[in-house]
Amino acid sequence: MTNILQILPKLNSGGVERGTIEIATAITKAGFKSYVISAGGKMVAQLAATKTEHILLDVASKNPFKIWLNAFKIRKIIQNKKIDLVHARSRVPAISAYLACQNTSAKFITTFHGVYSGKSALKKKYNSIMLKGEKIITVSNFIKNHIQTNYNFTDMNRVKTIYRGVDLNEFNLKKVSKTKIATYIKTYQLPLDKKIILLPARLTEWKGQLFFLEALTKVTNKNYHALIVGNIDVHSNYKNKLDNFVKENQLEQQVSFLPAVSDLVNLYHLADIVISASLRPEAFGRTIIEAGAMGKIVIATNHGGAQETIINGKTGFLLAELTNSELAQKIDYILNLNATQKNNIATNAKTYVRKNFSVAKMQKETINLYKKILNL
Protein backbone atom coordinates (compact mmCIF):
# COMPACT_ATOMS: atom_id res chain seq x y z
CA MET A 1 0.00 0.00 0.00
CA THR A 2 1.26 3.44 -0.97
CA ASN A 3 0.72 6.00 1.79
CA ILE A 4 0.36 9.72 0.99
CA LEU A 5 0.34 12.45 3.65
CA GLN A 6 -0.88 16.00 3.03
CA ILE A 7 -0.17 18.69 5.61
CA LEU A 8 -1.69 22.15 6.03
CA PRO A 9 -2.35 24.55 8.95
CA LYS A 10 -6.13 24.16 9.37
CA LEU A 11 -9.18 22.83 7.56
CA ASN A 12 -11.64 25.70 7.88
CA SER A 13 -12.26 27.22 4.45
CA GLY A 14 -10.41 28.35 1.35
CA GLY A 15 -8.80 27.12 -1.82
CA VAL A 16 -5.91 25.30 -0.12
CA GLU A 17 -8.33 23.43 2.12
CA ARG A 18 -10.68 22.55 -0.72
CA GLY A 19 -7.78 21.37 -2.83
CA THR A 20 -6.55 19.15 0.01
CA ILE A 21 -9.91 17.39 0.20
CA GLU A 22 -10.12 17.04 -3.58
CA ILE A 23 -6.68 15.41 -3.69
CA ALA A 24 -7.54 13.21 -0.68
CA THR A 25 -10.46 11.91 -2.73
CA ALA A 26 -8.15 11.21 -5.67
CA ILE A 27 -5.56 9.46 -3.47
CA THR A 28 -8.15 7.01 -2.19
CA LYS A 29 -9.61 6.50 -5.68
CA ALA A 30 -6.09 5.67 -6.94
CA GLY A 31 -5.90 2.83 -4.41
CA PHE A 32 -3.52 4.62 -2.05
CA LYS A 33 -3.97 5.34 1.65
CA SER A 34 -4.69 9.01 2.38
CA TYR A 35 -3.56 10.88 5.50
CA VAL A 36 -3.94 14.56 6.39
CA ILE A 37 -2.29 16.45 9.25
CA SER A 38 -3.84 19.74 10.37
CA ALA A 39 -4.84 21.67 13.47
CA GLY A 40 -8.46 20.81 12.72
CA GLY A 41 -11.39 22.88 11.49
CA LYS A 42 -14.94 22.64 10.23
CA MET A 43 -13.92 20.86 7.00
CA VAL A 44 -12.37 17.88 8.81
CA ALA A 45 -15.72 16.09 8.63
CA GLN A 46 -15.51 16.12 4.82
CA LEU A 47 -12.40 13.95 4.99
CA ALA A 48 -14.45 11.03 6.33
CA ALA A 49 -16.13 10.59 2.94
CA THR A 50 -12.69 10.30 1.31
CA LYS A 51 -11.60 7.53 3.72
CA THR A 52 -8.75 9.75 4.84
CA GLU A 53 -7.23 9.45 8.29
CA HIS A 54 -7.00 12.89 9.84
CA ILE A 55 -4.21 13.42 12.38
CA LEU A 56 -4.74 16.37 14.70
CA LEU A 57 -1.56 18.38 15.30
CA ASP A 58 -1.07 22.09 15.90
CA VAL A 59 0.93 22.72 12.74
CA ALA A 60 -0.59 26.21 12.42
CA SER A 61 1.56 27.55 15.26
CA LYS A 62 4.47 29.81 14.31
CA ASN A 63 6.20 29.25 17.64
CA PRO A 64 9.74 28.09 16.71
CA PHE A 65 9.83 25.56 19.56
CA LYS A 66 6.53 24.08 18.41
CA ILE A 67 7.72 23.91 14.80
CA TRP A 68 10.72 21.85 15.91
CA LEU A 69 8.58 19.70 18.20
CA ASN A 70 6.13 19.06 15.37
CA ALA A 71 8.99 17.93 13.17
CA PHE A 72 9.77 15.11 15.63
CA LYS A 73 6.07 14.21 15.90
CA ILE A 74 5.64 14.14 12.13
CA ARG A 75 8.74 11.97 11.74
CA LYS A 76 7.18 9.42 14.11
CA ILE A 77 3.99 9.54 12.05
CA ILE A 78 6.01 9.00 8.85
CA GLN A 79 7.70 5.99 10.42
CA ASN A 80 4.63 4.50 12.10
CA LYS A 81 2.31 4.95 9.13
CA LYS A 82 5.02 4.06 6.61
CA ILE A 83 4.42 7.29 4.69
CA ASP A 84 5.88 7.27 1.18
CA LEU A 85 5.27 10.89 0.22
CA VAL A 86 4.59 14.09 2.18
CA HIS A 87 2.82 16.94 0.36
CA ALA A 88 3.11 20.27 2.20
CA ARG A 89 0.65 23.01 1.26
CA SER A 90 1.67 25.92 3.51
CA ARG A 91 4.87 27.45 4.84
CA VAL A 92 4.80 26.81 8.61
CA PRO A 93 3.80 23.13 8.40
CA ALA A 94 6.20 22.77 5.46
CA ILE A 95 9.13 23.61 7.74
CA SER A 96 8.18 20.85 10.18
CA ALA A 97 7.42 18.40 7.37
CA TYR A 98 10.70 19.09 5.56
CA LEU A 99 12.71 18.50 8.74
CA ALA A 100 10.67 15.38 9.50
CA CYS A 101 11.41 13.85 6.10
CA GLN A 102 15.17 14.11 6.58
CA ASN A 103 16.82 10.70 7.03
CA THR A 104 13.59 8.91 6.13
CA SER A 105 12.56 7.31 2.84
CA ALA A 106 9.59 9.67 2.48
CA LYS A 107 9.59 12.00 -0.51
CA PHE A 108 8.82 15.68 0.19
CA ILE A 109 6.91 17.92 -2.23
CA THR A 110 5.16 21.27 -1.93
CA THR A 111 2.46 23.36 -3.57
CA PHE A 112 3.33 27.02 -4.00
CA HIS A 113 -0.21 28.37 -3.67
CA GLY A 114 0.26 32.13 -3.82
CA VAL A 115 2.37 35.27 -4.00
CA TYR A 116 3.54 35.19 -0.40
CA SER A 117 3.92 38.61 1.18
CA GLY A 118 7.24 40.14 2.17
CA LYS A 119 10.20 41.42 0.18
CA SER A 120 12.87 41.37 2.88
CA ALA A 121 15.64 38.78 2.76
CA LEU A 122 14.34 37.23 6.00
CA LYS A 123 10.78 36.90 4.68
CA LYS A 124 12.01 35.44 1.41
CA LYS A 125 14.06 32.93 3.38
CA TYR A 126 10.90 31.96 5.26
CA ASN A 127 8.89 31.68 2.02
CA SER A 128 11.61 29.64 0.32
CA ILE A 129 10.77 26.55 2.36
CA MET A 130 8.17 25.98 -0.36
CA LEU A 131 11.04 25.59 -2.84
CA LYS A 132 12.58 22.68 -0.91
CA GLY A 133 10.32 20.06 -2.43
CA GLU A 134 11.65 17.35 -4.70
CA LYS A 135 8.84 18.64 -6.88
CA ILE A 136 7.11 22.02 -6.56
CA ILE A 137 3.55 22.36 -7.80
CA THR A 138 2.48 25.84 -8.85
CA VAL A 139 -1.21 26.71 -9.30
CA SER A 140 -0.55 28.84 -12.40
CA ASN A 141 2.24 29.80 -14.75
CA PHE A 142 2.06 33.24 -13.17
CA ILE A 143 3.26 31.68 -9.88
CA LYS A 144 5.85 29.64 -11.76
CA ASN A 145 7.28 32.83 -13.25
CA HIS A 146 7.03 34.57 -9.86
CA ILE A 147 9.25 31.89 -8.31
CA GLN A 148 11.84 32.23 -11.04
CA THR A 149 11.88 36.04 -10.90
CA ASN A 150 11.64 36.72 -7.17
CA TYR A 151 13.68 33.86 -5.70
CA ASN A 152 16.43 33.54 -8.33
CA PHE A 153 15.23 29.97 -8.71
CA THR A 154 16.76 28.19 -11.69
CA ASP A 155 15.96 24.49 -11.21
CA MET A 156 12.70 24.77 -13.15
CA ASN A 157 12.68 21.05 -13.94
CA ARG A 158 11.46 20.58 -10.38
CA VAL A 159 8.47 22.87 -10.99
CA LYS A 160 5.18 21.71 -12.46
CA THR A 161 2.10 23.85 -13.00
CA ILE A 162 -1.13 22.10 -12.10
CA TYR A 163 -4.10 24.42 -12.34
CA ARG A 164 -6.74 24.44 -9.67
CA GLY A 165 -9.97 22.87 -10.77
CA VAL A 166 -13.69 23.51 -10.69
CA ASP A 167 -16.05 20.66 -9.84
CA LEU A 168 -18.06 20.33 -13.04
CA ASN A 169 -20.59 18.12 -11.23
CA GLU A 170 -21.30 21.01 -8.86
CA PHE A 171 -21.11 24.00 -11.17
CA ASN A 172 -23.69 23.13 -13.77
CA LEU A 173 -27.39 23.74 -14.45
CA LYS A 174 -28.46 20.47 -12.82
CA LYS A 175 -27.37 21.82 -9.43
CA VAL A 176 -29.39 25.03 -9.72
CA SER A 177 -32.20 25.30 -7.16
CA LYS A 178 -35.22 27.30 -8.30
CA THR A 179 -36.34 27.46 -4.68
CA LYS A 180 -33.10 29.06 -3.50
CA ILE A 181 -33.08 31.49 -6.40
CA ALA A 182 -36.65 32.52 -5.58
CA THR A 183 -35.57 33.04 -1.95
CA TYR A 184 -32.68 35.29 -3.00
CA ILE A 185 -34.96 37.32 -5.26
CA LYS A 186 -37.57 37.76 -2.52
CA THR A 187 -35.19 38.33 0.42
CA TYR A 188 -33.04 40.91 -1.35
CA GLN A 189 -35.80 42.30 -3.56
CA LEU A 190 -33.84 41.71 -6.74
CA PRO A 191 -35.43 43.22 -9.87
CA LEU A 192 -36.40 40.63 -12.48
CA ASP A 193 -36.27 43.16 -15.32
CA LYS A 194 -32.59 44.05 -14.82
CA LYS A 195 -29.35 42.36 -15.86
CA ILE A 196 -27.49 41.03 -12.82
CA ILE A 197 -23.81 41.90 -12.37
CA LEU A 198 -22.19 39.71 -9.70
CA LEU A 199 -18.98 40.34 -7.75
CA PRO A 200 -18.31 37.43 -5.36
CA ALA A 201 -15.23 37.94 -3.18
CA ARG A 202 -14.01 38.41 0.38
CA LEU A 203 -14.75 41.94 1.53
CA THR A 204 -11.30 43.49 1.51
CA GLU A 205 -9.90 46.47 -0.39
CA TRP A 206 -7.61 44.54 -2.71
CA LYS A 207 -10.55 42.47 -4.00
CA GLY A 208 -11.78 45.64 -5.70
CA GLN A 209 -15.35 46.19 -4.46
CA LEU A 210 -14.84 49.98 -4.30
CA PHE A 211 -13.15 49.92 -7.71
CA PHE A 212 -16.26 48.15 -9.05
CA LEU A 213 -18.63 50.68 -7.48
CA GLU A 214 -16.61 53.54 -8.95
CA ALA A 215 -16.99 51.93 -12.37
CA LEU A 216 -20.77 51.66 -11.93
CA THR A 217 -21.04 55.43 -11.64
CA LYS A 218 -19.68 55.61 -15.21
CA VAL A 219 -21.85 52.88 -16.77
CA THR A 220 -24.27 54.49 -19.23
CA ASN A 221 -26.64 51.53 -19.64
CA LYS A 222 -28.66 51.56 -16.42
CA ASN A 223 -30.43 48.28 -17.11
CA TYR A 224 -28.50 46.41 -14.42
CA HIS A 225 -28.52 45.47 -10.76
CA ALA A 226 -25.21 44.76 -9.01
CA LEU A 227 -24.74 42.10 -6.33
CA ILE A 228 -21.67 42.29 -4.10
CA VAL A 229 -21.38 39.00 -2.25
CA GLY A 230 -18.94 38.36 0.58
CA ASN A 231 -18.30 38.37 4.31
CA ILE A 232 -20.04 41.72 4.78
CA ASP A 233 -20.20 41.37 8.58
CA VAL A 234 -16.42 41.06 9.09
CA HIS A 235 -14.65 44.18 7.82
CA SER A 236 -17.04 46.80 9.16
CA ASN A 237 -14.85 49.84 8.33
CA TYR A 238 -14.52 48.83 4.71
CA LYS A 239 -18.22 47.93 4.49
CA ASN A 240 -19.10 51.37 5.88
CA LYS A 241 -16.88 52.93 3.25
CA LEU A 242 -18.74 51.02 0.53
CA ASP A 243 -22.15 51.91 2.00
CA ASN A 244 -21.23 55.59 2.11
CA PHE A 245 -20.07 55.51 -1.50
CA VAL A 246 -23.34 53.90 -2.59
CA LYS A 247 -25.36 56.59 -0.79
CA GLU A 248 -23.22 59.50 -1.98
CA ASN A 249 -23.55 58.34 -5.59
CA GLN A 250 -27.25 57.41 -5.36
CA LEU A 251 -26.67 53.75 -6.22
CA GLU A 252 -29.03 52.35 -3.54
CA GLN A 253 -31.54 51.07 -6.11
CA GLN A 254 -28.85 49.45 -8.25
CA VAL A 255 -26.58 47.77 -5.70
CA SER A 256 -27.24 45.05 -3.12
CA PHE A 257 -24.84 43.50 -0.60
CA LEU A 258 -25.30 39.81 0.20
CA PRO A 259 -23.49 37.80 2.88
CA ALA A 260 -21.11 35.05 1.84
CA VAL A 261 -23.00 31.96 0.68
CA SER A 262 -21.95 28.36 0.13
CA ASP A 263 -24.23 27.80 -2.87
CA LEU A 264 -22.65 30.22 -5.33
CA VAL A 265 -23.90 28.08 -8.20
CA ASN A 266 -27.35 29.67 -7.81
CA LEU A 267 -25.97 33.20 -7.81
CA TYR A 268 -23.87 32.45 -10.88
CA HIS A 269 -27.04 31.20 -12.58
CA LEU A 270 -28.78 34.48 -11.74
CA ALA A 271 -25.91 36.56 -13.09
CA ASP A 272 -25.47 37.96 -16.59
CA ILE A 273 -21.96 39.30 -15.90
CA VAL A 274 -19.44 38.18 -13.25
CA ILE A 275 -16.70 40.53 -12.10
CA SER A 276 -13.23 39.64 -10.80
CA ALA A 277 -11.87 43.06 -9.77
CA SER A 278 -8.77 42.15 -7.76
CA LEU A 279 -6.40 45.12 -7.63
CA ARG A 280 -3.33 42.96 -7.24
CA PRO A 281 -2.58 39.68 -9.03
CA GLU A 282 -4.44 36.56 -7.95
CA ALA A 283 -2.34 33.41 -7.88
CA PHE A 284 -5.12 31.69 -9.80
CA GLY A 285 -8.66 33.00 -9.22
CA ARG A 286 -11.23 30.24 -8.79
CA THR A 287 -14.22 32.59 -9.31
CA ILE A 288 -13.39 32.96 -13.00
CA ILE A 289 -13.48 29.24 -13.77
CA GLU A 290 -16.58 28.65 -11.62
CA ALA A 291 -18.46 31.34 -13.53
CA GLY A 292 -17.05 30.10 -16.83
CA ALA A 293 -18.26 26.57 -16.10
CA MET A 294 -21.74 28.06 -15.68
CA GLY A 295 -21.47 29.82 -19.05
CA LYS A 296 -21.20 33.31 -17.60
CA ILE A 297 -19.32 36.25 -19.12
CA VAL A 298 -16.48 37.33 -16.83
CA ILE A 299 -14.67 40.67 -16.76
CA ALA A 300 -11.36 40.50 -14.87
CA THR A 301 -8.44 42.75 -14.12
CA ASN A 302 -5.58 41.88 -16.45
CA HIS A 303 -2.95 40.31 -14.20
CA GLY A 304 -2.08 37.12 -12.36
CA GLY A 305 -3.89 33.89 -13.02
CA ALA A 306 -6.73 35.65 -14.87
CA GLN A 307 -4.47 35.94 -17.90
CA GLU A 308 -4.47 32.13 -18.08
CA THR A 309 -8.13 31.44 -17.26
CA ILE A 310 -9.59 33.97 -19.75
CA ILE A 311 -8.96 34.26 -23.48
CA ASN A 312 -9.63 37.95 -23.92
CA GLY A 313 -12.61 38.68 -26.16
CA LYS A 314 -13.38 34.97 -26.66
CA THR A 315 -14.17 33.40 -23.28
CA GLY A 316 -14.43 36.64 -21.30
CA PHE A 317 -12.77 40.03 -21.03
CA LEU A 318 -9.60 41.41 -19.48
CA LEU A 319 -9.07 45.08 -18.73
CA ALA A 320 -6.30 46.59 -20.82
CA GLU A 321 -5.77 49.16 -18.07
CA LEU A 322 -6.56 49.05 -14.37
CA THR A 323 -9.06 51.93 -14.53
CA ASN A 324 -12.67 52.10 -13.45
CA SER A 325 -13.42 53.90 -16.74
CA GLU A 326 -12.42 50.83 -18.75
CA LEU A 327 -14.33 48.52 -16.45
CA ALA A 328 -17.40 50.70 -17.04
CA GLN A 329 -16.85 50.52 -20.80
CA LYS A 330 -16.57 46.71 -20.69
CA ILE A 331 -19.78 46.45 -18.64
CA ASP A 332 -21.60 48.71 -21.13
CA TYR A 333 -20.24 46.66 -24.03
CA ILE A 334 -21.53 43.38 -22.60
CA LEU A 335 -24.89 44.82 -21.58
CA ASN A 336 -25.37 45.90 -25.20
CA LEU A 337 -24.43 42.57 -26.81
CA ASN A 338 -27.17 40.66 -28.58
CA ALA A 339 -28.22 37.16 -27.54
CA THR A 340 -26.13 35.39 -30.20
CA GLN A 341 -22.97 37.25 -29.22
CA LYS A 342 -23.52 36.45 -25.54
CA ASN A 343 -24.20 32.79 -26.25
CA ASN A 344 -21.00 32.48 -28.28
CA ILE A 345 -18.90 33.81 -25.40
CA ALA A 346 -20.76 31.63 -22.89
CA THR A 347 -20.17 28.50 -25.00
CA ASN A 348 -16.49 29.34 -25.46
CA ALA A 349 -16.10 29.87 -21.70
CA LYS A 350 -17.69 26.53 -20.82
CA THR A 351 -15.60 24.67 -23.38
CA TYR A 352 -12.36 26.31 -22.24
CA VAL A 353 -13.00 25.60 -18.56
CA ARG A 354 -14.07 22.00 -19.14
CA LYS A 355 -10.95 21.31 -21.19
CA ASN A 356 -8.38 23.00 -18.95
CA PHE A 357 -9.66 23.65 -15.42
CA SER A 358 -11.67 20.71 -14.10
CA VAL A 359 -11.13 19.11 -10.70
CA ALA A 360 -10.80 15.76 -12.49
CA LYS A 361 -7.87 17.08 -14.56
CA MET A 362 -6.21 18.57 -11.47
CA GLN A 363 -6.63 15.29 -9.57
CA LYS A 364 -5.29 13.17 -12.44
CA GLU A 365 -2.21 15.35 -12.94
CA THR A 366 -1.43 15.37 -9.20
CA ILE A 367 -1.77 11.59 -8.85
CA ASN A 368 0.40 11.08 -11.94
CA LEU A 369 3.04 13.31 -10.37
CA TYR A 370 2.92 11.27 -7.15
CA LYS A 371 3.37 8.08 -9.19
CA LYS A 372 6.29 9.54 -11.11
CA ILE A 373 8.07 10.63 -7.93
CA LEU A 374 7.49 7.21 -6.33
CA ASN A 375 8.40 5.28 -9.50
CA LEU A 376 5.03 3.55 -9.54
Side-chain angles (χ1 to χ4, degrees):
M1 173 69 78
T2 299
N3 300 303
I4 309 292
L5 169 65
Q6 298 183 85
I7 182 166
L8 71 164
K10 292 184 180 180
L11 273 164
N12 280 323
S13 63
V16 175
E17 292 80 355
R18 199 183 317 177
T20 299
I21 290 171
E22 289 163 349
I23 293 304
T25 301
I27 290 169
T28 301
K29 189 176 179 180
F32 304 154
K33 175 60 181 172
S34 172
Y35 296 89
V36 169
I37 291 177
S38 84
K42 60 186 178 182
M43 294 177 73
V44 170
Q46 295 181 35
L47 286 175
T50 72
K51 298 181 181 179
T52 294
E53 182 178 332
H54 179 256
I55 301 170
L56 188 65
L57 191 62
D58 185 13
V59 288
S61 173
K62 293 183 179 180
N63 182 302
F65 174 76
K66 201 147 200 176
I67 291 171
W68 278 97
L69 183 62
N70 284 337
F72 288 105
K73 291 180 178 180
I74 294 167
R75 178 174 294 180
K76 287 186 177 180
I77 291 167
I78 290 171
Q79 294 168 340
N80 293 338
K81 303 292 186 181
K82 295 181 171 59
I83 300 297
D84 299 289
L85 184 146
V86 177
H87 185 172
R89 293 179 167 274
S90 187
R91 290 166 291 176
V92 171
I95 297 171
S96 298
Y98 174 71
L99 294 172
C101 287
Q102 303 306 301
N103 301 317
T104 74
S105 61
K107 303 291 186 179
F108 176 74
I109 73 168
T110 61
T111 293
F112 210 109
H113 278 280
V115 179
Y116 299 123
S117 62
K119 295 183 179 181
S120 68
L122 184 62
K123 197 62 182 285
K124 283 191 174 183
K125 178 74 173 176
Y126 168 55
N127 296 341
S128 65
I129 184 63
M130 303 307 289
L131 302 176
K132 296 288 188 182
E134 183 170 324
K135 287 289 183 180
I136 303 152
I137 298 171
T138 56
V139 298
S140 63
N141 286 322
F142 164 67
I143 293 298
K144 184 176 182 179
N145 294 334
H146 170 79
I147 289 171
Q148 196 168 17
T149 303
N150 290 274
Y151 293 88
N152 297 318
F153 190 77
T154 56
D155 191 4
M156 299 310 289
N157 289 329
R158 285 165 50 208
V159 181
K160 180 174 178 58
T161 295
I162 300 179
Y163 290 118
R164 288 184 180 181
V166 60
D167 187 346
L168 299 176
N169 294 318
E170 181 67 25
F171 289 90
N172 67 59
L173 290 176
K174 293 179 182 178
K175 290 293 184 177
V176 171
S177 167
K178 292 181 179 179
T179 301
K180 286 187 177 181
I181 287 176
T183 299
Y184 285 132
I185 292 171
K186 181 179 180 181
T187 303
Y188 298 101
Q189 300 180 327
L190 304 181
L192 298 175
D193 60 337
K194 302 285 186 181
K195 301 296 184 183
I196 300 296
I197 307 175
L198 174 68
L199 194 165
R202 285 183 293 112
L203 221 67
T204 182
E205 296 218 22
W206 78 270
K207 287 290 188 177
Q209 287 90 356
L210 183 59
F211 175 68
F212 172 53
L213 290 176
E214 290 168 344
L216 292 182
T217 66
K218 300 179 181 181
V219 172
T220 58
N221 187 334
K222 301 302 180 183
N223 185 36
Y224 72 85
H225 190 85
L227 299 181
I228 296 177
V229 181
N231 51 340
I232 57 177
D233 56 340
V234 176
H235 300 286
S236 57
N237 289 340
Y238 183 48
K239 176 59 164 56
N240 290 338
K241 187 176 182 179
L242 299 177
D243 286 336
N244 290 336
F245 185 91
V246 167
K247 291 175 183 176
E248 289 169 3
N249 290 275
Q250 299 178 330
L251 291 171
E252 294 98 326
Q253 300 304 312
Q254 291 177 281
V255 176
S256 296
F257 291 92
L258 278 66
V261 297
S262 58
D263 60 327
L264 267 175
V265 63
N266 294 299
L267 290 181
Y268 286 133
H269 183 65
L270 264 177
D272 295 275
I273 303 172
V274 176
I275 305 293
S276 175
S278 301
L279 300 181
R280 61 178 194 248
E282 297 267 11
F284 179 73
R286 195 186 288 263
T287 295
I288 293 171
I289 62 169
E290 290 174 347
M294 298 290 293
K296 299 303 171 179
I297 301 176
V298 179
I299 305 174
T301 41
N302 188 17
H303 46 206
Q307 295 177 327
E308 298 167 59
T309 53
I310 291 177
I311 302 175
N312 190 32
K314 183 178 180 180
T315 69
F317 296 90
L318 296 168
L319 301 183
E321 298 177 359
L322 191 60
T323 65
N324 53 50
S325 295
E326 191 185 353
L327 178 53
Q329 290 170 9
K330 285 286 193 292
I331 292 171
D332 267 323
Y333 177 78
I334 296 169
L335 289 174
N336 293 325
L337 290 176
N338 62 41
T340 300
Q341 291 171 315
K342 290 178 183 177
N343 287 336
N344 285 341
I345 296 171
T347 300
N348 290 340
K350 283 196 285 188
T351 301
Y352 188 56
V353 169
R354 288 178 177 274
K355 181 179 179 181
N356 298 286
F357 306 110
S358 69
V359 162
K361 186 173 187 292
M362 183 266 287
Q363 290 172 320
K364 181 179 179 180
E365 290 182 359
T366 304
I367 294 300
N368 285 344
L369 182 63
Y370 289 168
K371 288 179 177 178
K372 184 177 180 179
I373 294 168
L374 296 171
N375 295 316
L376 297 177

